[in-house]
Amino acid sequence: MTAFTDVAVTAHVVVDHSSAVHHAATLARDAARASGLGDTVAERAAVLTSELAGNLLRHAVGGAVYVQRHPQGGGLDVVAVDRGPGMASPDRAMVDGYSTTGTLGSGMGALRRLADELTLRTLPGVGTLICARFHAPGAGPLRADIGLLCLPLRGEEACGDSAAVADAPGGRTALVVDGLGHGAEAAEASAAAVRVFREGPERPLPELLAAMDRALRGGRGAAVGLLRLRPGSAEHCGIGNVRLLLVGHDGIGSRAVGQPGVVGWNMPRPLPRSLDMPETSTAVLHSDGIAPRWADTATPFLLGLPPRLLAAALGHGCRSPRDDATALVTGAARRTS
């Protein structure tokens, strides 16, 4: 189990013992309070998470719960992922009063009432993913097209990876940063890069990288991937091994990786790259803690997941055991009237 620490880092509980159910519920309650959602929402989140984790323990294989504050604030995602058996009738499972024996379908109607938004995808023989999203009291729906998973190396409390998202008139800008190595010093490097990003996320991407390079000198250094999304297009600029993939239901359209170098040490002149991005596409920006081979074997089921579930699926099924791992998934920028 990893503890909930800051906005980017994901709390993670492997559900392989009855004590994990209580741990997961406690993490969800604490994360909701830390997100400013209030005690009432925090209790709803805890009850729902307990139910999700209990279902995983009773009926699923390879299950885990991930608790993630929304990267733009104002909400919380609780995601349950497993590796089987899947649901044969997910639509029926969402109906109040429906119950099954020996499957995850039991209690889905109650979960839908507890969450502000509930998203479910399942495939028999493969597994089930469920995301329960909670909003701040009085707030409208969160941007549904963002998903984040940011996990420290197993056994570590500090995470050397981080991520951030910001919307501005010039488009949506996304950041994934991977501090060299792992542990506290890598986390400090990532935090410094995120601070620079938040000071002016609307700046040109090469300018943002140059400012990060100055801020990280004398420390660990980092790999950084930046992405700016506008209607119909994406601009990518990165240094080091943070990967970008533009995916759709029919496959992966574009791939990019940062230029060789280290931000804060030997960074070359950043060269932005423009890519076409249909509005039906999804951008995946991830550190090398997500094994890159996932893209070579991605199934239509995986590629069709909404961002809030795709990020969790990549972290759950494609994570390296020897590094921090981050996946930030966001839809294309939408035209506004």
Side-chain angles (χ1 to χ4, degrees):
M1 181 186 72
T2 56
F4 186 86
T5 53
D6 61 26
V7 171
V9 177
T10 306
H12 170 216
V13 181
V14 175
V15 183
D16 57 0
H17 189 270
S18 58
S19 64
V21 176
H22 173 72
H23 290 319
T26 299
L27 286 173
R29 181 184 294 109
D30 292 347
R33 287 173 175 163
S35 300
L37 303 187
D39 288 341
T40 300
V41 176
E43 288 307 314
R44 281 200 286 126
V47 171
L48 179 143
T49 304
S50 179
E51 181 68 20
L52 278 178
N55 273 348
L56 289 174
L57 185 65
R58 290 188 294 271
H59 307 306
V61 177
V65 171
Y66 300 90
V67 180
Q68 177 66 59
R69 293 170 71 178
H70 192 274
Q72 292 182 301
L76 182 77
D77 286 345
V78 177
V79 185
V81 187
D82 65 66
R83 296 190 175 97
M87 296 184 195
S89 304
D91 292 337
R92 291 179 63 196
M94 298 303 296
V95 177
D96 282 339
Y98 177 79
S99 64
T100 61
T101 301
T103 77
L104 275 169
S106 179
M108 290 297 110
L111 298 183
R112 184 174 57 183
R113 291 193 302 274
L114 285 166
D116 293 309
E117 300 176 56
L118 192 71
T119 305
L120 183 151
R121 297 291 186 275
T122 186
L123 188 63
V126 174
T128 300
L129 302 97
I130 303 171
C131 177
R133 179 162 282 182
F134 297 89
H135 308 155
L142 299 171
R143 295 298 297 265
D145 54 350
I146 301 175
L148 174 62
L149 200 77
C150 184
L151 298 168
L153 175 72
R154 289 182 175 91
E156 292 275 1
E157 289 294 325
C159 184
D161 286 3
S162 195
V165 181
D167 287 334
R172 169 172 293 172
T173 306
L175 163 73
V176 166
V177 54
D178 180 356
L180 295 190
H182 52 84
E185 291 184 13
E188 290 174 4
S190 290
V194 170
R195 283 194 295 271
V196 170
F197 177 84
R198 295 196 184 283
E199 288 168 0
E202 75 287 347
R203 287 180 286 176
L205 301 187
E207 184 179 318
L208 272 171
L209 277 169
M212 291 177 191
D213 184 59
R214 293 190 295 271
L216 269 62
R217 288 175 189 169
R220 274 287 182 91
V224 175
L226 284 166
L227 179 67
R228 178 156 293 146
L229 301 176
R230 301 183 179 92
S233 69
E235 181 185 7
H236 172 256
C237 197
I239 305 295
N241 199 17
V242 173
R243 297 175 182 271
L244 166 68
L245 301 96
L246 302 183
V247 307
H249 292 272
D250 55 349
I252 295 173
S254 298
R255 307 185 193 204
V257 69
Q259 301 164 236
V262 178
V263 178
W265 180 39
N266 63 346
M267 189 181 81
R269 182 170 68 90
L271 301 174
R273 176 187 177 189
S274 295
L275 303 165
D276 291 333
M277 185 176 177
E279 290 193 0
T280 56
S281 295
T282 297
V284 179
L285 199 62
H286 70 79
S287 68
D288 61 359
I290 303 293
R293 65 180 179 274
W294 75 267
D296 299 324
T297 58
T299 64
F301 176 74
L302 181 68
L303 295 178
L305 293 175
R308 65 183 78 177
L309 295 181
L310 180 53
L314 293 177
H316 191 70
C318 309
R319 178 185 177 190
S320 167
R322 297 180 297 276
D323 202 357
D324 309 309
T326 295
L328 178 62
V329 185
T330 175
R334 300 290 191 252
R335 290 181 175 88
T336 57
S337 57

